[in-house]
Amino acid sequence: MRIGLVDVDGHNFPSLPLMKLSAWHKQQGDIVEWYDQLFHSIGESFDKVYMSKVFSFTPDFPYYVNAKEVIKGGSGYCIRLENGKEVYNTTKDNLLPPEIETVYPDYLIYYDIIPEVKNTAYGFLTRGCPRGCEYCHVGCKEGRKSYKVADLGTFWHGQKNIILLDPNITACKDWKPLFQQLIDSNAWIDFSQGLDIRLMDKEKIKMLMQMKIKQVHFAWDRYQDKKEIVPKFKEFKELTGWDKRKLPVYVLINFNTTIEQDLDRIYTLRDLGYWPYVMVYNKESTKPGDTVRRMQRWVNMRAVFEKVKRFEDYKR
């Protein structure tokens, strides 16, 4: 068969589902290529075209697709708001079957597009999260429990970098053997989606310190967690002694906090020796001049954030 792929979000970050679909179809002897609306809209049609997107706010692919069958999948197609809550709609077509979910990804399709893919493995060791935060779709998509879905060798074959996409690996009962696999890999590790600082303890920190860590992302999204979360940040910093460049912390704003509460989290994290990284909830509904957007620019431009210590000075 002739198979086409469309990365609807763009090519800033590799699409894991598309890499798995490509690998599986090539194993079946199929021809796999990126679908190009300029060259493929005429002529012989594709047997199947897979379209994948992660973000619901990403506009859908606006062009005619010259294919006998078009299959759309990913969170961007499956999440909808219902009575103010996110609902995850699944069909047999937008979930990968087990034989494809567990296949080793075809990283080759991104080699000419994203050069760092040549030396990087991407994947999930665990899925799900017990937190059920109302601004996050993981709970309705993957369940309110963290559970193991793969060993490292499922998506890593010796690359020097590993980017993990797990939503909350530290909540998984199998965290310890999975951490050991990461230690044994001797690869550079990036926990891109964040570790749960509330679940960190001395044993987990000790194992983290045995890894080659590029970055450990944390998050402080709920202002009301301050009393619980600040001592955990202090302890982690004291035990590791890591530089702030290794310790970015996602800070969600524009959800249910005031500007004063946002700034309190930002200043507190900076004083503790972490790099805050501001994420604007429902950003597409805001304008470039809005306070939340200006706050995001101020914090996330690190050179500016280092020089301009107070938000009111940045506004001036």
Side-chain angles (χ1 to χ4, degrees):
M1 293 199 301
R2 189 183 183 201
I3 305 297
L5 307 174
V6 179
D7 187 346
V8 181
D9 291 308
H11 291 311
N12 295 321
F13 194 85
S15 168
L16 191 57
L18 293 182
M19 291 192 290
K20 291 181 178 182
L21 285 162
S22 175
W24 187 84
H25 275 285
K26 286 180 179 179
Q27 289 176 5
Q28 314 312 307
D30 299 329
I31 298 170
V32 182
E33 56 189 306
W34 291 109
Y35 182 84
D36 189 311
Q37 65 272 14
L38 294 178
F39 299 106
H40 295 148
S41 59
I42 57 174
E44 184 181 356
S45 65
F46 285 77
D47 293 287
K48 286 184 181 181
V49 167
Y50 293 98
M51 301 170 63
S52 179
K53 69 170 181 169
V54 174
F55 304 109
S56 57
F57 54 80
T58 300
D60 204 354
F61 190 68
Y63 306 103
Y64 165 72
V65 179
N66 183 19
K68 297 172 185 175
E69 184 179 10
V70 177
I71 299 175
K72 299 181 179 183
S75 302
Y77 285 118
C78 304
I79 296 289
R80 76 174 194 277
L81 283 177
E82 190 174 279
N83 298 323
K85 294 185 177 181
E86 287 188 333
V87 178
Y88 189 71
N89 295 321
T90 60
T91 70
K92 65 180 180 64
D93 289 332
N94 58 40
L95 285 177
L96 295 180
E99 66 271 18
I100 299 179
E101 183 66 66
T102 55
V103 76
Y104 183 76
D106 180 12
Y107 294 110
L108 286 169
I109 63 173
Y110 279 102
Y111 275 16
D112 293 332
I113 304 170
I114 308 176
E116 54 266 33
V117 173
K118 294 180 181 180
N119 294 309
T120 307
Y122 302 79
F124 292 85
L125 295 172
T126 64
R127 296 272 193 172
C129 176
R131 297 295 181 184
C133 300
E134 56 269 42
Y135 44 80
C136 176
H137 69 249
V138 170
C140 61
K141 174 176 175 282
E142 300 177 5
R144 293 282 301 275
K145 178 183 178 180
S146 179
Y147 51 94
K148 177 183 174 181
V149 294
D151 287 305
L152 183 58
T154 305
F155 58 88
W156 174 76
H157 284 179
Q159 294 93 325
K160 70 176 184 178
N161 301 303
I162 297 171
I163 295 181
L164 295 170
L165 309 175
D166 303 48
N168 196 338
I169 189 173
T170 46
C172 178
K173 66 180 179 63
D174 299 307
W175 71 268
K176 194 169 185 177
L178 293 174
F179 271 29
Q180 190 61 54
Q181 291 181 28
L182 295 170
I183 293 169
D184 294 341
S185 74
N186 201 35
W188 286 99
I189 311 297
D190 183 349
F191 292 93
S192 68
Q193 300 306 299
L195 295 175
D196 194 334
I197 189 66
R198 292 163 289 187
L199 298 177
M200 297 304 298
D201 55 32
K202 291 181 179 179
E203 186 179 20
K204 292 186 177 78
I205 293 172
K206 183 179 179 180
M207 293 193 75
L208 276 176
M209 293 182 70
Q210 295 176 58
M211 300 178 199
K212 292 170 63 177
I213 295 292
K214 274 202 167 182
Q215 287 187 319
V216 175
H217 292 81
F218 291 113
W220 182 5
D221 295 326
R222 290 158 37 97
Y223 183 76
Q224 59 267 40
D225 293 335
K226 181 176 181 179
K227 190 174 292 187
E228 175 189 8
I229 215 167
V230 169
K232 300 295 283 188
F233 277 124
K234 286 181 178 177
E235 179 186 45
F236 189 89
K237 181 73 174 179
E238 289 169 0
L239 290 175
T240 63
W242 287 348
D243 185 87
K244 61 186 175 183
R245 289 170 294 183
K246 221 173 188 175
L247 299 171
V249 180
Y250 299 125
V251 179
L252 184 72
I253 68 173
N254 199 44
F255 183 69
N256 63 354
T257 54
T258 65
I259 296 300
E260 290 73 25
Q261 290 172 333
D262 297 336
L263 288 172
D264 187 33
R265 285 180 292 160
I266 289 166
Y267 294 146
T268 299
L269 287 168
R270 183 177 63 189
D271 292 344
L272 290 172
Y274 291 81
W275 271 117
Y277 186 87
V278 168
M279 310 282 284
V280 179
Y281 181 80
N282 198 18
K283 186 176 180 178
E284 60 273 18
S285 68
T286 65
K287 299 177 182 178
D290 289 350
T291 299
V292 292
R293 295 278 288 273
R294 294 163 71 188
M295 185 183 296
Q296 183 185 47
R297 288 197 302 273
W298 167 60
V299 175
N300 294 355
M301 292 190 295
R302 290 186 170 183
V304 174
F305 186 62
E306 282 276 81
K307 185 176 181 179
V308 183
K309 300 299 183 183
R310 309 293 296 180
F311 184 48
E312 54 266 32
D313 295 329
Y314 175 76
K315 286 195 292 184
R316 283 198 295 269

